[in-house]
Amino acid sequence: MSMIEFERVFAEFENTISSAALKEVARYWRDLVRTGRLPGWNDIRPSAIKTHLPIVWCYDYDPGLDDFVGRLAGYEITGVSNKPFKGTRLSELRPNDKYPRALIRAKRVVQEPALYRGHGIVYKTEERRGFGERIVMPLVASQSQPAGIFGATEYKSVSEWARSAPDLNAEEEKWFSLAGLVDAPQLANC
């Protein structure tokens, strides 16, 4: 792993993040990166980011299902859905028209691997829309834990969002590839 190049890519990612809370979550993930290896589930210590746990969420990748399964989510995340998060497949949490894009995005974060920053409409169902900013970072598999994604989303009111974004119906995506900079996780059926 080229740590100098990794640090450059991470700095670009961090510089696109507006939210102070999301920057802190991203820095926490960054501090877990070790030479040649991205962090995995066993590296995460929720107490280290306890003030941000309400906006944090994580999914495991299940290669047998070729889907992501909710592992944990803070109350600000679980509050936007009427379904339980833990143990629920991404395909069941996301509306049918949004799931394919959500799966592609999540798999890219883990497969490539890559860092993701989105802002705009970050959650949408028939009843609700969530506006804000989200970040997603990869977690590698270990012998005892699956690969997954570690993310956080900070919501804003429609009026707050309207002041900073002209399109209230889209999420602007920014990608930061880590390919070749770290050992990429191996995912079956990807």
Side-chain angles (χ1 to χ4, degrees):
M1 173 201 290
S2 166
M3 285 305 288
I4 294 170
E5 187 63 13
F6 172 83
E7 291 296 343
R8 184 193 63 73
V9 171
F10 183 81
E12 289 176 8
F13 169 63
E14 184 181 12
N15 287 336
T16 66
I17 301 170
S18 302
S19 161
L22 294 183
K23 280 183 187 269
E24 288 182 31
V25 172
R27 285 183 200 126
Y28 172 72
W29 176 89
R30 171 21 207 123
D31 290 345
L32 298 175
V33 173
R34 302 290 178 249
T35 301
R37 185 176 93 66
L38 292 174
W41 291 116
N42 294 334
D43 299 313
I44 302 291
R45 300 290 174 256
S47 61
I49 52 170
K50 64 184 171 193
T51 59
H52 303 304
L53 288 179
I55 63 170
V56 168
W57 47 269
C58 303
Y59 286 92
D60 290 329
Y61 178 69
D62 184 327
L65 298 172
D66 191 30
D67 203 352
F68 286 78
V69 178
R71 185 177 183 112
L72 69 89
Y75 68 84
E76 289 191 27
I77 304 305
T78 58
V80 298
S81 176
N82 58 359
K83 296 177 184 173
F85 186 90
K86 186 176 174 79
T88 303
R89 293 170 58 171
L90 182 64
S91 57
E92 297 167 347
L93 287 170
R94 302 297 295 146
N96 290 340
D97 64 325
K98 303 295 179 206
Y99 169 70
R101 180 69 198 125
L103 179 64
I104 289 167
R105 183 185 301 130
K107 286 176 76 170
R108 180 176 175 188
V109 167
V110 175
Q111 264 188 308
E112 192 169 314
L115 304 171
Y116 173 85
R117 186 262 183 174
H119 75 281
I121 186 163
V122 293
Y123 184 82
K124 184 177 181 181
T125 66
E126 290 180 19
E127 307 86 38
R128 301 177 76 175
R129 291 190 299 173
F131 301 95
E133 181 176 26
R134 90 169 103 213
I135 58 171
V136 188
M137 298 147 297
L139 294 173
V140 296
S142 69
Q143 290 181 352
S144 62
Q145 299 292 326
I149 56 176
F150 175 68
T153 305
E154 191 165 65
Y155 293 98
K156 296 180 178 181
S157 70
V158 174
S159 62
E160 285 178 294
W161 187 250
R163 288 192 297 265
S164 62
D167 187 352
L168 295 178
N169 294 306
E171 178 176 358
E172 179 185 311
E173 298 184 358
K174 294 215 183 265
W175 289 94
F176 303 87
S177 181
L178 300 173
L181 304 180
V182 293
D183 291 335
Q186 300 300 311
L187 294 182
N189 302 321
C190 282

